[in-house]
Amino acid sequence: MGTEIKKEKALLKDTEVKPQEEIWNYILGFTHIALVKCAIELGIPDILENRESPITLVDLASEIGCSQSSLHRVMRFLIHYKVFQEKPISETSLGYVKTPLSRLLTRHGNHSMADLVLLTSSPAMLAPWDKLSAWMLGNKELPFEAAHGKDIWEYSAANPGFSKSFNDGMACEARILVSAVLESCSQVFEGLTTLVDVGGGDGTALRLIVEACPWIKGINFDLPHVVSMAPTSTNGVEHLGGDMFDHVPKADAVYVMKILHNWADKECIAILRRCREAIPQNKGKVIIIDAVLGRDEENEFKGLGLMFDINMMIYTSIGKERNLEEWSYVFHEAGFTRYTIKHIQALQSVIELYP
Ligand SMILES: C[S@@+](CC[C@H](N)C(=O)[O-])C[C@H]1O[C@@H](n2cnc3c(N)ncnc32)[C@H](O)[C@@H]1O
């Protein structure tokens, strides 16, 4: 009898404590991104990346120019979550070293995600989250507009600092995504002599594609304020400013990466019709890089897809991630007759769309 009561009490404690723990994780969850952002701003991932041996708290604090006690606490948290690691320096002392995670947080690493962390944790990107429920309850202003008075593209055009941070964040993601595309799907670029990247940002994606496929002449097409800030020294890539709803420059194929998920079906259909006009009707194609939700319910990227979907709701409001059925409807309405989908090691897939 005594054991039964103990068991019941333990069970009760379990059901009470576990949900509370879960909610505490929601309440304090922001600590993760806030401390990763702090570490990037202090340059800690770069300092550790450039060292062969562990660095002591005293040396790290002196190199950064900050207090040892606060640094110790920040590092203790980030070590717990495996962003950094501790290794022995001597029999009695430990020092900090890099990890595979901290490498992704360096400012200039090839696959660095630091600019994305800085963008998503910026006050401008956090403010619209506060407007979500009011919009859902019928407030006419979309979350981003309620926070900033303009939609994200207009706000970007009016704020060069935000535009730079947005383009840098997108370039970060483009470096990771294009290498996944090239790794398992480079054949999609075979036989093309010209390729236009619609909404190509600062041209990072196209520069990487042309580097890997030097037979291609690339046209990076984006809004005028975006291409005016793009690096000019990009071999084999020409920048062109314009509006994809008006026209798309002609090429053998059109590349649209993470563009359609920013828009509702009506706009996607309009963009794809412009893309169809830009390619040869007999042998042209549109290469779409975007998520296909539900491609496999057990998919490791499922949670990420759902998070991206909510992010689209916050930042563009009309944008969304789509499942196969939703994609098929858009393709059909835009006048395309067939498509193929290849999954790559990323949330996004490669969709080839034919007139
Ligand atoms: C989410 S970003 C994607 C950038 C890039 N494709 C990538 O994956 O890194 C969307 C891009 O669409 C561009 N864009 C928005 N409206 C546009 C329009 N009407 N015409 C051309 N580009 C547009 C934005 O300036 C931005 O660079």
Side-chain angles (χ1 to χ4, degrees):
M1 192 63 168
T3 333
E4 281 307 302
I5 290 171
K6 263 191 205 159
K7 262 193 204 164
E8 255 178 46
K9 272 193 176 164
L11 198 69
L12 195 68
K13 199 164 169 246
D14 234 27
T15 49
E16 272 172 8
V17 170
K18 286 242 169 74
Q20 275 175 17
E21 268 176 25
E22 288 284 315
I23 297 301
W24 275 116
N25 279 324
Y26 282 102
I27 294 169
L28 300 175
F30 184 75
T31 316
H32 291 265
I33 185 153
L35 284 203
V36 165
K37 174 185 178 159
C38 169
I40 295 170
E41 288 175 340
L42 297 178
I44 302 172
D46 294 279
I47 294 172
L48 300 192
E49 189 62 33
N50 296 328
R51 287 180 61 95
E52 293 302 322
S53 54
I55 184 168
T56 61
L57 172 66
V58 177
D59 287 349
L60 185 59
S62 129
E63 192 163 339
I64 296 169
C66 69
S67 104
Q68 284 176 36
S69 62
S70 55
L71 182 61
H72 161 70
R73 289 159 68 189
V74 166
M75 292 304 281
R76 182 173 60 185
F77 179 93
L78 291 171
I79 286 165
H80 179 73
Y81 288 100
K82 302 190 171 28
V83 176
F84 300 116
Q85 221 187 327
E86 264 180 324
K87 282 214 167 140
I89 292 181
S90 66
E91 275 186 15
T92 52
S93 65
L94 291 168
Y96 305 122
V97 292
K98 64 192 166 198
T99 68
L101 264 71
S102 70
R103 172 159 299 148
L104 295 177
L105 300 172
T106 56
R107 292 308 291 268
H108 304 293
N110 213 13
H111 282 177
S112 164
M113 299 172 89
D115 286 330
L116 262 180
V117 172
L118 297 178
L119 172 67
T120 48
S121 60
S122 67
M125 291 298 262
L126 291 175
W129 289 94
D130 200 32
K131 312 291 179 187
L132 177 61
S133 51
W135 172 62
M136 291 173 72
L137 285 170
N139 187 342
K140 291 269 174 296
E141 276 193 309
L142 309 175
F144 197 93
E145 292 179 28
H148 297 297
K150 296 175 167 61
D151 75 23
I152 189 164
W153 316 119
E154 291 164 349
Y155 181 75
S156 196
N159 292 277
F162 176 80
S163 182
K164 164 104 178 63
S165 157
F166 185 85
N167 297 336
D168 289 349
M170 292 306 108
C172 246
E173 216 178 331
R175 278 189 286 271
I176 297 167
L177 198 45
V178 169
S179 78
V181 172
L182 289 169
E183 207 168 282
S184 41
C185 256
S186 60
Q187 70 278 11
V188 300
F189 303 110
E190 279 169 16
L192 302 178
T193 54
T194 50
L195 180 68
V196 55
D197 186 355
V198 171
D202 72 357
T204 298
L206 201 48
R207 186 173 46 74
L208 295 171
I209 292 170
V210 169
E211 255 168 40
C213 312
W215 57 87
I216 294 178
K217 184 179 165 304
I219 305 159
N220 180 53
F221 183 69
D222 205 300
L223 292 167
H225 76 271
V226 177
V227 292
S228 71
M229 290 170 80
T232 45
S233 58
T234 42
N235 278 348
V237 176
E238 173 199 350
H239 294 291
L240 218 70
D243 183 342
M244 63 191 171
F245 290 101
D246 289 341
H247 91 289
V248 164
K250 292 209 179 307
D252 288 347
V254 177
Y255 187 80
V256 259
M257 184 166 87
K258 290 185 16 269
I259 297 300
L260 300 175
H261 76 161
N262 297 316
W263 303 95
D265 289 356
K266 183 167 155 259
E267 286 79 12
C268 286
I269 293 164
I271 297 166
L272 286 174
R273 284 187 179 149
R274 296 287 90 83
C275 293
R276 194 159 59 85
E277 289 160 8
I279 53 173
Q281 294 309 294
N282 52 348
K283 57 183 178 78
K285 65 179 172 183
V286 178
I287 304 164
I288 298 168
I289 314 293
D290 241 322
V292 179
L293 284 190
R295 71 185 200 197
D296 167 3
E297 278 310 302
E298 297 307 311
N299 191 289
E300 59 185 302
F301 298 113
K302 184 178 176 188
L304 206 53
L306 298 179
M307 281 195 267
F308 263 97
D309 181 56
I310 297 296
N311 275 263
M312 290 308 109
M313 189 153 88
I314 293 292
Y315 295 129
T316 72
S317 306
I318 59 171
K320 63 174 186 177
E321 300 300 344
R322 294 180 166 80
N323 62 25
L324 198 51
E325 205 180 316
E326 292 167 317
W327 279 123
S328 295
Y329 168 76
V330 166
F331 299 158
H332 180 262
E333 291 298 306
F336 288 87
T337 57
R338 74 190 168 91
Y339 63 87
T340 62
I341 300 186
K342 296 187 180 88
H343 299 313
I344 55 174
Q345 194 48 36
L347 164 70
Q348 293 78 5
S349 297
V350 178
I351 308 174
E352 287 173 277
L353 194 54
Y354 301 91

